[in-house]
Amino acid sequence: MKRAGLLLLAVAPVATVAVYFLGGDSDSDASGADGMPSGTQRPYDQDKSAAEIKADDKLIAELPPGLAAPAKKELAQKLVTSAENSTLNWRGQYGYIEDIGDGNGYTAGIIGFCTGTNDLLTLVEQYTKDHPDNGLARYLPALRKVNGTDSHEGLDPGFTKAWKAEAAKPAFRKAQDKTRDSVYFDPAVRLAKLDGLGTLGQFIYYDAMVLHGPGTGPRGFYGLREAALKEANTPAQGGKEKAYLDIFLDIRTKAMKEKKAHRDTTRVETAQRQFLYDGNLALKTPLTWKVYGETFKVP
């Protein structure tokens, strides 16, 4: 397995607001969660009125589905999994779990939920509400205790086995899909559309949301976007899509290099940046890209 380069190797600029969710790979800043239900917060429109949000919803409903189209969403999962797990078989990752030594405790499942970054805890809590007798429920006290740390206290030796066993159940797989969408995919695609970005731009936002987490600090997704907005206008603001995305990727790779676990930036440079320079803003197939020197193809 490889993950994060570690193993085996119109809308106005948005005011930064105090909303945090520790997800993805802890780049979302250790400022702490604010107690809001994960996936329901919208840091980028918290200050908008109900009428403004309704107008955004109307605008998005009138746009092409983009990355949300079933075939493109499937492609997005393959692209992310090529970087997270060195495979295109993202459905084979529901039972994946290991500590990759990045300071986030156990990394698990289809999107890399972590015991140290709140999203895995949220997943298990929500799943337990619907399935109280599941095999992970007994670990909830320990998961709450280790949240925000890399500790395994209360989890070893049985948690990894319990995760893999639960991942064999369709209900838990569905729960992983739901959390992935509500916390990462849907907010990223929504904001990308409001920024006037096409399918590639929507994927670039999504992959950044996955790796950096939806945090508002300087290394969280929303913080990275704020930094990009200081240097370029989005297409919705009258800017050029390619120029804006190029700057966003520059800012993102700089943030990645600041953290040891993410210093390999090939998921950007020999994948997303290459698609951008090829002019493939619609993310059309066939696609060929490299991550950590390994070549992947989608016909």
Side-chain angles (χ1 to χ4, degrees), residues 28-46:
S28 34
D29 291 352
S31 301
D34 65 353
M36 298 177 65
S38 301
T40 62
Q41 63 269 41
R42 290 175 175 169
Y44 55 90
D45 66 8
Q46 175 160 304

Side-chain angles (χ1 to χ4, degrees), residues 44 65 74 80 106 135 137-138 153 160 192 245 255 292-293:
Y44 55 90
E74 176 73 15
V80 169
Y106 282 118
R138 66 190 180 96
E153 184 178 353
T160 57
L245 289 173
Y292 316 129

Side-chain angles (χ1 to χ4, degrees), residues 267-287:
R267 71 192 291 158
V268 171
E269 301 298 356
T270 53
Q272 297 165 46
R273 182 103 64 183
Q274 190 60 55
F275 303 154
L276 180 64
Y277 287 178
D278 287 343
N280 192 358
L281 296 176
L283 202 59
K284 295 180 179 179
T285 53
L287 284 180

Side-chain angles (χ1 to χ4, degrees), residues 191-203:
L191 183 53
K193 289 182 176 181
L194 292 175
D195 280 348
L197 301 176
T199 306
L200 174 60
Q202 293 163 31
F203 173 72

Side-chain angles (χ1 to χ4, degrees), residues 4 118 133:
N118 198 60
D133 295 328

Side-chain angles (χ1 to χ4, degrees), residues 4 10 40 52 58 65 77 85 107 115 134 157 201 215 218 239 242 245 251 253 257-258 267 275 285 288:
T40 62
E52 289 173 321
K58 184 175 184 296
Q77 308 318 314
N85 301 94
T107 295
T115 54
N134 75 81
K242 184 175 180 180
L245 289 173
I251 290 170
T253 54
K257 290 176 181 178
E258 290 173 354
R267 71 192 291 158
F275 303 154
T285 53
T288 300

